[in-house]
Amino acid sequence: MSQTVRVRFAPSPTGPLHIGGVRTALYNYLLAKKHQGRFILRLEDTDQARFVPGAEQYIIDTLQWLGIAADEGPSQGGPQGPYRQSARKKIYPAYVARLVEAGKAYYAFDTPQELAAMRDRLQAARVASPQYNAISREWMKNSLTLPQQEVAARLEAGVPHAIRIKVPHQKTIRFYDQVRGWVRVQSATLDDKVLMKADGTPTYHLASVVDDYLMQTTHVIRGEEWLPSTPIHVLLYQYLGLEQAMPQFVHLPLLLKPEGYGKLSKRQADHQGFPIFPIAWQDPDTGTYIPGFREQGYLPEALLNFLALLGWSPAGGGKELLSREELIQAFSIERIHKAGVKLDIQKAAWFNQQYLRAKPEAERVRYLTAALDKHHIAYTPQQARQICQLIQERAVFPQDFWEQGKYFFQAPETYDVPILKGKWNKQVHEVLQAWIAVLRAIDVFQAPEIKTTLARLLEARQMKHKQVMPVIRVALTGIGVGPDLMQTMEVMGQQEAIKRLIQGLAQFEKAKDLAI
Ligand code: GLU
């Protein structure tokens, strides 16, 4: 690309960013970095009615956590600032005035009641989506229908009015989308969108086009939900005589529910028990705290890798684990997918597990020791290391080192008895009693020796390992899953392991659920 790539991520601070928004930010960032361009953060905060305290900081914190650093933005400044639209309000009136003068936009004096009445009328006439357009504008109160003098008088008197774009009656609007190819839209399907509201604030359409022009945006990369707005933007570029400066449009595929149909929603994600926000969000109105990917133990580099492949794939395929540098090098608009993508949360967890495994051992051990310290539990560094080694194959999140490691230090207080249903019986009880006696006499309490003693006893009774293993595990740890049992016992130590077996068997013997 000969021109310097300039892209922008333009969220409205109306609440926490959705994970799809983070993907948009990431693709913008990747394209900018790949071409040594500029990644701009622009806050589209002109809609005061939708202002949510904390949302702007949330966006900044999210990008920082993920290392998606803006080159220009509200905090870092830059040559085309300010980067908050609320601070750019003085810029827009001149553009809208140009449009009105050229007859491409007009004053609309309709009250909310009149607008509602128009919609009712159209609905009654079975118009599927009532619009303010080339036909309906004819019977509304605007500078196209009212006599010139009256318009002047109203403006003079300060009668509240919006300014709307004048969409041509029957025209095909064409634009090229880098993902979808040529898009053609009949102007008759478009609304005469408000460009400037009665209170003088610009709407998204106007502000976004003017700012993309002034900020010399080369590519508009955003979610597919903005595709229907694009014909209006294209018209604005044409009306303003800025077609030459029009950026390339890149609309990213929708994120779908894990089942693959329907748009991913917050409700859906809650229902399936996975986060939809990158980091925790505390609702300023209700005080509700909603944990994000970060709080659930996702590592930023894993989430980044996962998101990058959610709608894009590198040439050559196959390789999934890609560092930030590799993603930057491989990224290209041509390989962005057209079809919606399922958010497969299992895949996100898989990425996390891979990145967790790749961390230096000392860092993984720290996940455990930090928790041990917090709970005032004594340990030796060697013990902590051994436990982490046992757990690391299974650990998906940093907190798993504690969740799956605490049993080494604390005997279970509760037992997952129901999973032993059908497994606990007299024969099992007897062989484990016998085993305890043998374990007491072992000189070298190490996994291979422990294993041999059990194997011998089972063999003599023609029993299988799987008959006793779950019982041993629950007795030792209280739960049904965990690392290799014999190694677990070795790390636990002879006395502790025996004590827990005795205690566990006594519990199972008493458990009503397991009555034999
Ligand atoms: N403010 C819009 C949003 O909230 C920006 C859409 C665009 O990128 O043009 O996503």
Side-chain angles (χ1 to χ4, degrees):
M1 284 177 210
S2 52
Q3 210 181 356
T4 306
V5 168
R6 290 181 58 84
V7 289
R8 84 312 187 263
F9 176 51
S12 301
T14 52
L17 268 187
H18 182 286
I19 199 70
V22 182
R23 183 194 58 175
T24 300
L26 175 62
Y27 284 19
N28 274 287
Y29 165 87
L30 292 175
L31 188 77
K33 295 297 129 184
K34 163 138 190 188
H35 298 284
Q36 287 90 43
R38 310 279 287 170
F39 170 57
I40 299 159
L41 173 64
R42 181 173 77 219
L43 292 167
E44 303 207 324
D45 61 345
T46 53
D47 194 350
Q48 277 306 309
R50 294 177 64 218
F51 173 80
V52 173
E56 177 178 323
Q57 194 54 43
Y58 181 93
I59 293 164
I60 291 169
D61 292 347
T62 296
L63 296 183
Q64 188 177 12
W65 176 57
L66 289 164
I68 306 179
D71 301 302
E72 299 171 25
S75 348
Q76 43 285 92
Q80 262 85 33
Y83 293 90
R84 235 182 236 107
Q85 283 182 335
S86 56
R88 300 173 64 82
K89 278 193 183 151
K90 283 206 197 99
I91 296 177
Y92 311 110
Y95 287 87
V96 90
R98 235 159 94 180
L99 292 167
V100 173
E101 233 159 81
K104 302 299 187 191
Y106 60 92
Y107 301 109
F109 300 95
D110 318 281
T111 62
Q113 292 76 10
E114 285 164 340
L115 290 170
M118 174 193 87
R119 271 192 297 274
D120 290 348
R121 211 165 121 187
L122 289 171
Q123 249 151 13
R126 301 201 179 281
V127 173
S129 45
Q131 319 205 77
Y132 202 116
N133 61 17
I135 296 170
S136 60
R137 72 164 87 106
E138 292 299 323
W139 20 277
M140 301 303 287
K141 287 201 182 67
N142 53 56
S143 55
L144 302 173
T145 55
L146 296 171
Q148 232 177 356
Q149 270 173 332
E150 161 128 29
V151 173
R154 282 177 179 239
L155 292 177
E156 178 81 9
V159 175
H161 60 272
I163 298 176
R164 290 181 179 269
I165 184 171
K166 189 178 173 194
V167 174
H169 182 34
Q170 270 174 342
K171 207 181 141 193
T172 306
I173 299 161
R174 274 175 14 122
F175 62 93
Y176 190 77
D177 181 87
Q178 299 288 321
V179 175
R180 262 142 253 276
W182 283 104
V183 179
R184 288 174 192 78
V185 179
Q186 295 309 319
S187 65
T189 63
L190 300 173
D191 209 39
D192 281 358
K193 290 279 184 223
V194 170
L195 299 176
M196 192 159 271
K197 292 191 266 186
D199 64 3
T201 50
T203 58
Y204 157 67
H205 305 289
L206 178 74
S208 143
V209 165
V210 168
D211 286 351
D212 281 341
Y213 164 65
L214 293 174
M215 295 182 180
Q216 295 160 23
T217 308
T218 55
H219 302 74
V220 164
I221 305 176
R222 62 186 169 201
E224 193 185 299
E225 63 274 25
W226 300 100
L227 194 64
S229 299
T230 311
I232 294 289
H233 301 175
V234 171
L235 271 180
L236 282 174
Y237 282 103
Q238 291 173 353
Y239 284 178
L240 288 166
L242 300 174
E243 242 184 320
Q244 292 310 315
M246 190 161 82
Q248 301 194 36
F249 293 107
V250 183
H251 287 94
L252 305 179
L254 285 181
L255 290 190
L256 306 174
K257 294 176 191 175
E259 308 85 74
Y261 50 86
K263 208 174 143 189
L264 181 72
S265 66
K266 157 101 178 62
R267 226 184 54 208
Q268 172 72 22
D270 279 351
H271 184 65
Q272 306 227 350
F274 65 81
I276 189 116
F277 300 142
I279 62 177
W281 168 253
Q282 179 129 31
D283 192 301
D285 289 335
T286 61
T288 320
Y289 172 87
I290 308 163
F293 278 85
R294 179 176 67 183
E295 289 66 31
Q296 300 226 340
Y298 283 88
L299 304 169
E301 54 276 30
L303 188 60
L304 207 75
N305 194 160
F306 168 68
L307 286 179
L309 297 181
L310 222 51
W312 167 82
S313 51
K319 193 165 175 216
E320 289 184 298
L321 287 171
L322 297 155
S323 67
R324 178 186 302 262
E325 246 342 283
E326 288 172 314
L327 288 171
I328 291 172
Q329 288 321 317
F331 193 74
S332 71
I333 292 175
E334 295 78 63
R335 297 196 57 88
I336 293 175
H337 308 166
K338 211 189 276 189
V341 248
K342 286 189 269 190
L343 190 132
D344 178 358
I345 198 68
Q346 306 301 339
K347 193 74 197 195
W350 178 84
F351 274 105
N352 214 53
Q353 186 170 34
Q354 306 310 311
Y355 278 87
L356 198 59
R357 276 185 200 162
K359 282 209 175 283
E361 185 179 41
E363 219 167 302
R364 286 196 303 263
V365 173
R366 245 191 326 271
Y367 292 134
L368 175 63
T369 55
L372 288 169
D373 291 340
K374 201 173 121 202
H375 290 87
H376 309 292
I377 296 174
Y379 59 89
T380 66
Q382 167 171 359
Q383 213 182 1
R385 238 196 12 257
Q386 275 181 319
I387 294 168
C388 285
Q389 275 164 5
L390 277 183
I391 294 170
Q392 67 196 28
E393 275 309 297
R394 307 177 53 88
V396 175
F397 300 108
Q399 65 269 26
D400 291 348
F401 286 96
W402 165 246
E403 291 299 331
Q404 295 174 26
K406 63 181 171 198
Y407 304 107
F408 289 92
F409 301 91
Q410 301 173 325
E413 280 163 16
T414 56
Y415 297 87
D416 189 355
V417 166
I419 63 167
L420 297 181
K421 247 190 176 152
K423 300 206 163 72
W424 176 249
N425 56 45
K426 284 209 169 68
Q427 199 189 16
V428 168
H429 194 179
E430 185 276 327
V431 72
L432 293 181
Q433 296 272 21
W435 192 38
I436 290 170
V438 176
L439 287 175
R440 283 207 167 99
I442 292 188
D443 287 336
V444 187
F445 198 74
Q446 283 177 352
E449 285 74 13
I450 304 171
K451 194 169 176 177
T452 315
T453 55
L454 181 62
R456 279 206 203 110
L457 292 173
L458 291 174
E459 204 181 338
R461 290 164 178 75
Q462 295 191 326
M463 288 175 73
K464 299 224 161 25
H465 273 81
K466 65 170 191 242
Q467 289 177 265
V468 294
M469 289 314 224
V471 180
I472 300 174
R473 187 179 292 286
V474 177
L476 291 172
T477 67
I479 56 171
V481 285
D484 182 89
L485 262 185
M486 303 301 143
Q487 288 186 36
T488 299
M489 289 175 74
E490 177 183 326
V491 175
M492 226 169 238
Q494 193 161 13
Q495 288 212 340
E496 182 67 17
I498 292 171
K499 198 178 92 195
R500 290 194 193 184
L501 281 174
I502 294 171
Q503 202 177 325
L505 299 191
Q507 290 290 330
F508 305 154
E509 189 61 5
K510 279 196 300 200
K512 284 202 190 61
D513 285 359
L514 302 179
I516 42 180

